[in-house]
Amino acid sequence: MNHLQEAFGHRTLEEIEVAEVSDYKDDIKCISPWAVIYDNNFYYLLAYDGKKMRVYRIDHMEGVEVEEAEAEGLEEFKKIKLSDYTKQTFGMYSGELQSVTMRFPNNMVGTVLDRFGREVTLM
């Protein structure tokens, strides 16, 4: 975790360094970290992997090292509104955005609005 904090530091977005992370699949990734997200009792790192923005669970990372390299993905990061991003994902799983219809008891309305916001359509 100290290396992640070092990568963010007090730098501007353009100066964030690239962190090398090993996730639970035991492979090594060189990524550019952009944000830390807290969701459902876990911390996640939103980072650019050279192709797209991805989310990594921080407690699954081992051997994080900071490299002196220019961060990538600034344009992709600027497209993301974090408050909307967290509402649109479950457990930070990525995928295509889809509309869904859910059925739940009336006494769960408050919970649904807390999780998805007031923009949801209730019938």
Side-chain angles (χ1 to χ4, degrees):
M1 187 67 157
N2 288 339
H3 287 298
L4 286 176
Q5 291 169 337
E6 179 185 337
F8 281 103
H10 294 348
R11 301 173 180 92
T12 62
L13 292 180
E14 292 83 358
E15 295 173 330
I16 291 174
E17 296 170 346
V18 176
E20 190 173 337
V21 297
S22 174
D23 66 11
Y24 60 92
K25 296 177 185 171
D26 292 329
D27 56 344
I28 303 293
K29 293 181 171 42
C30 192
I31 60 172
S32 298
W34 290 102
V36 174
I37 300 168
Y38 182 75
D39 184 66
N40 201 24
N41 295 321
F42 293 106
Y43 287 95
Y44 297 88
L45 180 68
L46 178 64
Y48 187 74
D49 71 355
K51 298 176 185 172
K52 65 179 183 173
M53 283 292 174
R54 294 190 45 139
V55 178
Y56 301 89
R57 247 182 64 184
I58 291 176
D59 63 313
H60 286 179
M61 295 179 181
E62 295 177 355
V64 175
E65 298 176 10
V66 176
E67 296 182 3
E68 294 293 329
E70 190 171 330
E72 299 176 338
L74 177 60
E75 293 305 315
E76 291 298 314
F77 179 68
K78 286 180 178 180
K79 295 176 189 175
I80 296 173
K81 185 175 177 185
L82 288 178
S83 60
D84 291 342
Y85 184 82
T86 57
K87 285 181 191 174
Q88 296 170 351
T89 59
F90 280 98
M92 293 293 121
Y93 292 105
S94 61
E96 290 187 34
L97 185 62
Q98 296 181 6
S99 294
V100 297
T101 301
M102 298 187 305
R103 182 175 293 183
F104 52 88
N106 288 340
N107 65 347
M108 297 295 295
V109 169
T111 302
V112 171
L113 292 175
D114 286 346
R115 174 62 176 94
F116 298 104
R118 306 232 176 251
E119 297 83 24
V120 299
T121 302
L122 300 175
M123 296 181 193

